[in-house]
Amino acid sequence: MTTLVTPDLDLRASWAEAVEEFGERDFMHGSGLWDFDVVDVSPEGAPALIAALLAQADPATPLPEGRVHCTYFWITDGDEFVGYLALRHSLTPWLLEEGGHIGYSVRPSRRREGHATRALALGVRRAADLGLDRVLVTCDDDNDGSRLTIERCGGVFEDARNGKLRYWIDTGAPAAGDE
Ligand SMILES: CC(C)(COP(=O)(O)OP(=O)(O)OC[C@H]1O[C@@H](n2cnc3c(N)ncnc32)[C@H](O)[C@@H]1OP(=O)(O)O)[C@@H](O)C(=O)NCCC(=O)NCCS
């Protein structure tokens, strides 16, 4: 069953496998790890990475100019890490144009099993918990997997800007992928 959980050291081993699997070529959307020069997922390095991710959800944490608070989730299936979902609490001008509120990725070996669709539906619920009435979710115009994920979750297409398709999801409406 697909769940969204708070990043946790208990998932470190399958997380580390997934990071290896994504490799250099496959960008880990929604991971928050692009902020780090070194992504050390070893037992020694992982605690600091996880702590830094969790801190970004706390409104009391000061952030650099142009950044917004963000709750990072890990997508799991049972006790296995299968992907990332980031829920940004607000939009900057760039996020409104292109980035959106929610970003996600699923590890390559677990794609096309419905995890992204179910995770996005769960992420929309978490957005409602944050008080957001609707969320912006975007994807590249040639990313069919992400586009279908958004559409399955009730995304209403607004427009395309700079190669990004922009959809709004009403957080109060039930989504097809919702469980
Ligand atoms: C996009 C991504 C998150 C989809 O994850 P997933 O778990 O495979 O998605 P789902 O299994 O929920 O599939 C959702 C729909 O997209 C379809 N789909 C998934 N990957 C697809 C692909 N590569 N090409 C065409 N359709 C695809 C599925 O068949 C499904 O359609 P259906 O509802 O008609 O059956 C995943 O491919 C990924 O991590 N890609 C790299 C990161 C990325 O692009 N993130 C999104 C940034 S906007």
Side-chain angles (χ1 to χ4, degrees):
M1 188 180 80
T2 311
T3 49
L4 284 187
V5 303
T6 300
D8 193 298
L9 264 184
D10 285 349
L11 292 159
R12 194 204 62 80
S14 61
W15 176 40
E17 280 173 22
V19 169
E20 178 87 18
E21 196 179 293
F22 275 102
E24 301 273 315
R25 63 177 176 83
D26 207 348
F27 187 70
M28 295 187 288
H29 290 265
S31 69
L33 297 176
W34 56 84
D35 284 334
F36 301 93
D37 294 333
V38 177
V39 176
D40 178 1
V41 295
S42 70
E44 296 73 33
L49 275 186
I50 291 174
L53 292 176
L54 299 186
Q56 293 187 48
D58 182 349
T61 301
L63 298 176
E65 180 77 23
R67 296 296 300 268
V68 299
H69 289 96
C70 179
T71 305
Y72 290 101
F73 295 103
W74 284 352
I75 306 170
T76 57
D77 182 18
D79 57 5
E80 188 192 347
F81 173 99
V82 296
Y84 301 100
L85 186 139
L87 170 58
R88 296 178 271 270
H89 298 189
S90 58
L91 297 176
T92 62
W94 181 80
L95 290 170
L96 178 62
E97 281 287 304
E98 294 187 32
H101 284 100
I102 297 180
Y104 45 83
S105 56
V106 170
R107 65 186 288 186
S109 62
R110 300 300 308 270
R111 289 180 187 167
R112 304 198 83 152
E113 298 177 32
H115 288 301
T117 303
R118 292 189 290 272
L120 179 56
L122 293 169
V124 168
R125 279 195 201 153
R126 301 302 184 104
D129 295 342
L130 274 180
L132 298 172
D133 295 333
R134 60 179 192 151
V135 286
L136 180 68
V137 191
T138 69
C139 65
D140 288 344
D141 56 13
D142 60 355
N143 189 339
D144 289 339
S146 189
R147 178 179 58 76
L148 287 166
T149 297
I150 298 166
E151 291 175 356
R152 298 290 176 264
C153 289
V156 176
F157 179 71
E158 182 172 71
D159 59 11
R161 300 185 192 176
N162 306 317
K164 297 278 184 193
L165 307 179
R166 300 171 65 260
Y167 290 84
W168 290 95
I169 303 176
D170 178 350
T171 64
D178 214 349
E179 287 182 342

